[in-house]
Amino acid sequence: FPEGGGVYTAARQLSPTLSVIGATLLLCDYIVTAALSAVEAFHYMGVPPGLTVLLCVVTIAGIGVINWLGAKNAGRFALVIAIASLGASLIIGLMCLPLLPKGLSTVNTGHGSIGSPWQMWESLVRIVLALSGVEAVANMTGLMKEPVARTARRTIWPVLAEVVVLNMVFGIALNALPEMRGVEVPAYVVHEIEGKVAPENVPDDVKAYRDTAVKMLATHTASNIFGPETGKVFGIVLATIFAGLLLSAVNTAVMAMVSVMYSLGHDGELPRRLTKLNYSGVPWVGLIIACTLPVAVLLFEADAKALGELYAIGVVGAICINVLSCAANKHLAIKAWERRGLWALGALMAIIECTIVVAKPNATVFAASIIVIVLVFRFGMRFVKGAAVTPATAAEMQELLTALEQE
């Protein structure tokens, strides 16, 4: 969809209601992304747990103020941080290469706690989430340089390669760390399943590699090369860069929520007030809501692992609806083998979504609650106004994009 893609566009060509459900699942994803990214940012900064929630709330409010004044400067900051974090990731990846032989030698796939088909499937479900950025790319096609198909490929494939390769390198290298060499049973099995300990109450050494693994790798590898003191400084510098990236992700998630709500408001699915712009060209009602929702989540849950479980259901559900809508849309100019591939991939994502629904009841309740609230608003508006829904044209949607580029 060169003029603007993602689940909302794909599903809307089949069913407006389905498109609203897909967009709401995206909202669930962005809400948790903002909350989780803020929490992880302060983990990388080494902030004490007691101050994390307060600082997250202040940070999200500050991001709201920045965007209220105009989103252009936040975009420049995001670009600088993204380039710096990509360079930092590649440096750490190279420094981890000497650890790979030892890491591979300590890999254990046969332990009973991780060896059953269901547990292996759950592990795959978690890994799939690492590629959630593909859905974000799908939603950005309306902003891409022509020809969009080529630009999208140039966006997706480098990110795909980086995520796959670096995650594998980091995962294997973690097995080579002194703290991990003797571990045969995963920590979450020992503490959360067998010990019945809540994720936020596991030992600090477990939280260190669970929540800030890349910082540990940076410190360890730099210490091996340059000595302990330099390694410690290197770890702090890299942690600061990644913290900046995570705070940038908070900003991205907030503005993505604003964009989704703008589309829903513009098409009459939610109140039109969501399309009202302030003096700097930002939809101010949507911005307030987008900052309030992740703060509300953090007041109930601020553990990174628990937030990660809430995050899964939204992004997988949105991708599932997106892919299956494309497969079912007979008017799309796609080849037969591509359509078959979309059906197969959509079926896989549907099974993964069902797995999350069954295995993560908290995530199911969270997503279902948001969907019900949005649908109640939608059908309530229809009952009162009885207005027909008119899909936004490319020119109309460009209003928001143009406004956001101006100060």
Side-chain angles (χ1 to χ4, degrees):
F1 303 98
E3 294 182 348
V7 61
Y8 185 67
T9 301
R12 196 163 187 80
Q13 298 195 10
L14 299 179
S15 166
T17 301
L18 183 62
S19 71
V20 172
I21 293 174
T24 306
L25 285 169
L26 266 188
L27 283 177
C28 295
D29 169 28
Y30 294 142
I31 291 168
V32 181
T33 296
L36 177 59
S37 298
V39 169
E40 286 285 69
F42 290 109
H43 283 167
Y44 270 90
M45 292 180 189
V47 172
L51 294 176
T52 298
V53 174
L54 176 61
L55 291 176
C56 287
V57 172
V58 172
T59 299
I60 293 172
I63 287 173
V65 171
I66 292 172
N67 283 287
W68 182 285
L69 300 175
K72 197 171 182 179
N73 290 331
R76 292 196 190 102
F77 171 76
L79 178 61
V80 172
I81 289 295
I83 293 173
S85 62
L86 176 60
S89 297
L90 293 175
I91 290 171
I92 298 172
L94 291 173
M95 294 171 63
C96 285
L97 293 180
L99 298 177
L100 298 189
K102 182 63 178 179
L104 287 170
S105 70
T106 62
V107 171
N108 180 357
T109 60
H111 194 275
S113 66
I114 58 174
S116 74
W118 172 254
Q119 288 156 342
M120 294 172 69
W121 172 255
E122 281 193 306
S123 295
L124 175 63
V125 169
R126 294 188 184 97
I127 293 170
V128 166
L129 298 178
L131 295 175
S132 61
V134 174
E135 176 64 26
V137 173
N139 281 278
M140 292 169 57
T141 52
L143 302 172
M144 289 182 177
K145 180 181 178 181
E146 297 285 351
V148 173
R150 184 178 66 182
T151 304
R153 283 195 298 271
R154 290 179 175 179
T155 304
I156 289 174
W157 285 105
V159 173
L160 178 65
E162 179 199 358
V163 169
V164 171
V165 174
L166 287 180
N167 268 314
M168 291 181 68
V169 170
F170 292 160
I172 295 170
L174 278 171
N175 279 328
L177 295 183
E179 303 94 317
M180 303 295 294
R181 289 176 188 171
V183 176
E184 294 185 0
V185 183
Y188 81 92
V189 173
V190 173
H191 298 290
E192 297 178 37
I193 297 179
E194 297 177 353
K196 307 299 182 183
V197 177
E200 64 270 19
N201 295 326
V202 298
D204 290 339
D205 59 329
V206 174
K207 289 183 179 179
Y209 68 78
R210 186 193 73 180
D211 299 340
T212 58
V214 181
K215 180 180 179 181
M216 286 185 65
L217 286 172
T219 303
H220 179 82
T221 53
S223 297
N224 287 344
I225 298 173
F226 305 110
E229 293 300 321
T230 303
K232 184 177 180 180
V233 173
F234 187 82
I236 293 173
V237 171
L238 269 293
T240 303
I241 293 175
F242 281 110
L245 177 66
L246 289 161
L247 293 179
S248 175
V250 177
N251 175 73
T252 301
V254 167
M255 294 313 294
M257 279 188 272
V258 172
S259 178
V260 171
M261 287 186 283
Y262 181 92
S263 297
L264 291 170
H266 194 288
D267 292 347
E269 304 290 5
L270 288 179
R272 298 279 297 187
R273 185 171 293 274
L274 291 169
T275 66
K276 300 297 183 183
L277 307 181
N278 67 2
Y279 61 88
S280 60
V282 177
W284 64 275
V285 176
L287 180 60
I288 293 174
I289 296 173
C291 292
T292 302
L293 291 175
V295 168
V297 169
L298 286 170
L299 295 179
F300 287 96
E301 183 58 73
D303 179 73
K305 185 175 183 295
L307 287 171
E309 293 178 353
L310 294 180
Y311 163 82
I313 195 168
V315 66
V316 172
I319 295 174
C320 176
I321 294 174
N322 189 347
V323 174
L324 288 178
S325 296
C326 292
N329 191 340
K330 297 180 179 180
H331 299 291
L332 293 183
I334 56 179
K335 300 174 183 177
W337 69 268
E338 292 174 322
R339 194 177 297 276
R340 288 193 293 269
L342 288 169
W343 278 117
L345 184 59
L348 173 64
M349 298 305 293
I351 296 172
I352 292 174
E353 180 74 351
C354 291
T355 302
I356 297 170
V357 169
V358 173
K360 310 297 181 186
N362 290 340
T364 304
V365 172
F366 168 71
S369 300
I370 302 295
I371 291 173
V372 168
I373 291 171
V374 171
L375 290 180
V376 167
F377 264 102
R378 178 179 186 258
F379 288 116
M381 289 174 54
R382 298 290 181 81
F383 180 78
V384 173
K385 297 183 178 180
V389 177
T390 303
T393 64
E396 291 169 332
M397 291 305 298
Q398 191 64 31
E399 293 176 7
L400 174 63
L401 303 177
T402 301
L404 291 177
E405 292 174 356
Q406 298 174 347
E407 298 216 64

